[in-house]
């Protein structure tokens, strides 16, 4: 089983029993679908005709049809065709974004794309065109055009929301409305800035998305920029997730976590329960097209379990969010610290290998580690200092309920 996990690191996210069942399915795509949520997070099952994979279905019910189908030949083991499938999903999303941006450049309105593309493609397309239009408005010193544009999109989205019958269609429209409202709020803030210098300062604090047409690698064409830091978009399929309402706390948390990632540190949000620490990390992963695995830590977590999870995360290039890390006992915390330190140092030095569990394993540069904890709650372990210094800390004291409501 460990050899199988080395062949395909996502197997680290399965227990031994599930992995044995998966390996026993062979090329039975119907049976394989049972394991997709654990392997990919946002994928419910595979769409296929005979032995050819034609698409995937999200947890919410959205279907993403692949640009290039994946034939499952008898001699292919699951780890081989799962790798091919993963790459085709990312290429399909990237190609669709390129197609949407091209059509908009030709004069097609954004709202005309709603029924022909997945939520992720629409979200990223909107973020890119919104960024481009705001940049142009700042250069011209005139914001009335972008305000009217956003208002038109909002009016259309609000008008069709009540007519959406499918749950995922309604969620898609609702999430795009949240994004438009955020865009409108930012534009209003820029309009009210006291000077051109303040406009540039406020704009630098906001997460922006740029599409690089001249980048030959399809999967590296989109970058997110905030506070002068650039992060590559991951193109991992996210489905149609619930979206957080944008608040100043969320924007500042994104900036703090983005700063940590760009410096190859882990991100740490701490504060009282119910302030949205874990949801903030998940929201950032959505915006950056990354897979995030959330682990609710407690005293049952042992060193071997944590080592396996860390090994899988570092090889896949996923994000690991260890919720309430200080609920683990101090012995396990101390042992885990050595692994975290090795991973963060290897990322900082841009190594392609890291030594974990008495062996060298491949290191994916996109891997990220996050922790949350409540420092004021009784019965918690104290985080070791050498663990804390590997994470950039940011305090989340309270949820902005007025803004959210």
């Amino acid at each position: 089983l460990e050899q199988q996990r080395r062949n395909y690191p996502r197997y680290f996210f399965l227990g031994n029993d599930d992995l044995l069942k998966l390996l026993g399915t062979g090329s039975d795509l119907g049976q394989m679908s049972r394991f997709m949520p654990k392997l990919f997070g946002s994928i419910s099952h595979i769409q296929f005709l005979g032995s050819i994979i034609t698409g995937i279905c999200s947890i919410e019910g959205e279907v993403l049809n692949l640009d290039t189908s994946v034939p499952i030949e008898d001699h292919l083991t699951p780890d081989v065709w799962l790798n091919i499938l993963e790459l085709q999903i990312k290429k399909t999303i990237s190609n669709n974004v390129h197609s949407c941006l091209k059509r908009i450049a030709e004069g097609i309105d954004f709202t005309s794309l709603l029924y022909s593309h997945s939520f992720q493609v629409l979200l990223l397309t909107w973020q890119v065109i919104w960024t481009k239009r705001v940049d142009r408005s700042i250069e011209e010193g005139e914001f009335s055009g972008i305000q009217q544009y956003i208002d038109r999109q909002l009016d259309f989205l609000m008008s069709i929301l009540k007519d959406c019958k499918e749950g995922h269609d309604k969620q898609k429209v609702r999430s795009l409305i949240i994004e438009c409202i955020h865009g409108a709020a930012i534009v209003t803030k820029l309009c009210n800035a006291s000077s051109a210098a303040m406009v540039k300062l406020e704009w630098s604090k906001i997460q922006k998305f740029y599409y690089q047409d001249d980048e030959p690698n399809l999967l590296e064409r989109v970058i997110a920029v905030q506070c002068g830091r650039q992060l590559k978009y991951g193109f991992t399929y996210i489905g149609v997730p619930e979206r957080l309402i944008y608040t100043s706390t969320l924007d500042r948390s994104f900036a703090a976590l983005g700063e940590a990632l760009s410096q190859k540190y882990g991100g740490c949000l701490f504060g009282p329960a119910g302030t949205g620490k874990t949801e903030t990390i998940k929201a950032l992963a959505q915006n950056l097209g990354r897979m995030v695995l959330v682990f609710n830590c407690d005293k049952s977590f042992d060193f071997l379990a944590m080592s396996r999870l860390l090994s899988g995360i570092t090889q896949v290039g996923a994000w690991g969010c260890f919720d309430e890390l200080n609920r683990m006992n101090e012995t396990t915390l101390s042992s885990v610290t050595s692994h975290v330190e090795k991973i963060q140092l290897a990322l900082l030095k841009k190594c392609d290998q890291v030594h974990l569990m008495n062996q060298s394993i491949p290191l994916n540069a996109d891997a990220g580690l996050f922790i949350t904890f409540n420092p004021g709650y009784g019965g918690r372990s104290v985080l070791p200092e050498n663990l804390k210094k590997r994470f950039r800390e940011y305090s989340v004291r309270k949820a902005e309920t007025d803004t959210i409501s």
Side-chain angles (χ1 to χ4, degrees):
L1 292 181
E2 294 309 307
Q3 180 59 50
Q4 290 293 334
R5 290 185 171 108
R6 283 193 287 273
N7 292 341
Y8 190 64
R10 286 184 187 270
Y11 288 162
F12 279 103
F13 307 145
L14 297 177
N16 289 343
D17 289 345
D18 278 342
L19 182 51
L20 283 170
K21 291 175 183 175
L22 180 150
L23 296 173
T25 61
S27 57
D28 188 333
L29 296 179
Q31 290 297 315
M32 273 296 300
S33 286
R34 296 165 46 204
F35 304 101
M36 298 304 283
K38 290 184 178 180
L39 292 174
F40 291 94
S42 57
I43 300 176
S44 169
H45 60 271
I46 301 167
Q47 299 269 316
F48 59 93
L49 290 172
S51 61
I52 299 175
I53 299 176
T54 59
I56 54 172
C57 185
S58 75
I59 301 294
E60 302 81 14
E62 178 187 70
V63 174
L64 176 71
N65 294 313
L66 298 176
D67 285 348
T68 304
S69 299
V70 179
I72 309 301
E73 300 173 14
D74 290 338
H75 68 277
L76 292 180
T77 55
D79 60 286
V80 174
W81 64 258
L82 280 169
N83 267 319
I84 298 171
L85 173 62
E86 185 176 347
L87 180 61
Q88 288 305 324
I89 291 170
K90 291 182 177 182
K91 284 186 174 181
T92 295
I93 295 169
S94 182
N95 283 330
N96 287 355
V97 170
H98 177 75
S99 173
C100 285
L101 291 173
K102 184 178 179 181
R103 293 186 67 190
I104 288 172
E106 293 169 352
I108 299 295
D109 193 70
F110 173 77
T111 54
S112 66
L113 305 172
L114 287 178
Y115 301 107
S116 55
H117 292 282
S118 67
F119 166 70
Q120 183 172 3
V121 170
L122 293 171
L123 174 65
L124 188 52
T125 299
W126 169 259
Q127 289 169 329
V128 170
I129 61 174
W130 173 78
T131 298
K132 188 174 182 179
R133 284 175 177 265
V134 175
D135 274 335
R136 187 188 307 150
S137 297
I138 291 172
E139 288 177 9
E140 297 171 353
E142 173 57 54
F143 293 94
S144 59
I146 181 67
Q147 286 176 319
Q148 292 170 8
Y149 177 75
I150 295 173
D151 287 343
R152 286 200 306 272
Q153 311 305 313
L154 261 176
D155 289 343
F156 179 82
L157 291 170
M158 293 295 288
S159 69
I160 65 170
L161 181 60
K162 62 180 180 295
D163 297 324
C164 294
K165 296 179 181 179
E166 296 289 343
H168 64 84
D169 282 339
K170 182 167 284 190
Q171 180 60 43
K172 175 163 72 172
V173 174
R174 188 185 294 121
S175 295
L176 289 172
I177 289 172
I178 289 173
E179 205 67 28
C180 284
I181 291 172
H182 168 64
I186 296 301
V187 170
T188 300
K189 193 172 185 178
L190 296 176
C191 275
N192 295 333
S194 58
S195 65
M198 284 302 297
V199 168
K200 289 183 179 180
L201 178 61
E202 292 296 334
W203 185 230
S204 71
K205 298 176 184 177
I206 303 303
Q207 191 175 59
K208 302 170 284 292
F209 295 82
Y210 294 95
Y211 190 83
Q212 305 172 111
D213 269 309
D214 56 348
E215 170 58 55
N217 187 342
L218 270 177
L219 304 184
E220 294 185 359
R221 286 190 175 177
V222 178
I223 57 169
V225 179
Q226 187 175 17
C227 296
R229 300 289 185 178
Q230 291 187 10
L231 293 171
K232 188 174 63 176
Y233 190 84
F235 288 103
T236 295
Y237 182 62
I238 64 171
V240 194
E242 291 279 350
R243 297 286 287 173
L244 286 190
I245 301 297
Y246 285 88
T247 64
S248 57
T249 299
L250 185 68
D251 285 333
R252 289 194 297 268
S253 297
F254 278 7
L257 295 173
E259 178 80 11
L261 287 169
S262 65
Q263 294 183 342
K264 302 303 180 183
Y265 279 84
C268 171
L269 298 182
F270 66 93
T275 51
K277 301 183 294 294
T278 303
E279 293 305 315
T280 295
I281 294 167
K282 290 164 66 176
L284 180 61
Q286 291 172 18
N287 271 15
L288 296 179
R290 303 294 178 90
M291 178 183 183
V292 59
L293 295 100
V294 178
F295 306 101
N296 297 306
C297 301
D298 55 34
K299 295 188 184 297
S300 67
F301 268 61
D302 59 20
F303 177 61
L304 181 59
M306 287 291 289
S307 297
R308 278 185 172 176
L309 292 174
L310 288 169
S311 184
I313 288 166
T314 53
Q315 293 181 71
V316 169
W319 290 1
C321 175
F322 297 92
D323 199 19
E324 300 293 347
L325 186 72
N326 58 343
R327 283 193 295 196
M328 291 195 300
N329 64 56
E330 292 186 5
T331 304
T332 305
L333 268 178
S334 180
S335 302
V336 167
T337 299
S338 64
H339 276 2
V340 171
E341 195 167 17
K342 288 176 182 177
I343 293 168
Q344 298 296 165
L345 283 173
L347 287 169
L348 184 62
K349 294 178 180 179
K350 298 182 180 180
C351 301
D352 55 8
Q353 298 274 323
V354 62
H355 195 75
L356 297 180
M357 299 175 69
N358 297 318
Q359 59 181 332
S360 289
I361 61 173
L363 175 63
N364 190 312
D366 293 331
L369 300 178
F370 302 84
I371 61 175
T372 71
F373 68 95
N374 182 348
Y377 200 89
R380 299 290 198 258
S381 301
V382 177
L383 294 181
E385 284 302 318
N386 54 338
L387 176 63
K388 289 174 70 175
K389 72 181 183 181
R390 293 296 163 195
F391 290 82
R392 287 286 181 259
E393 295 181 326
Y394 185 76
S395 173
V396 183
R397 296 189 178 184
K398 64 177 182 179
E400 296 180 42
T401 51
D402 291 341
T403 303
I404 294 169
S405 60

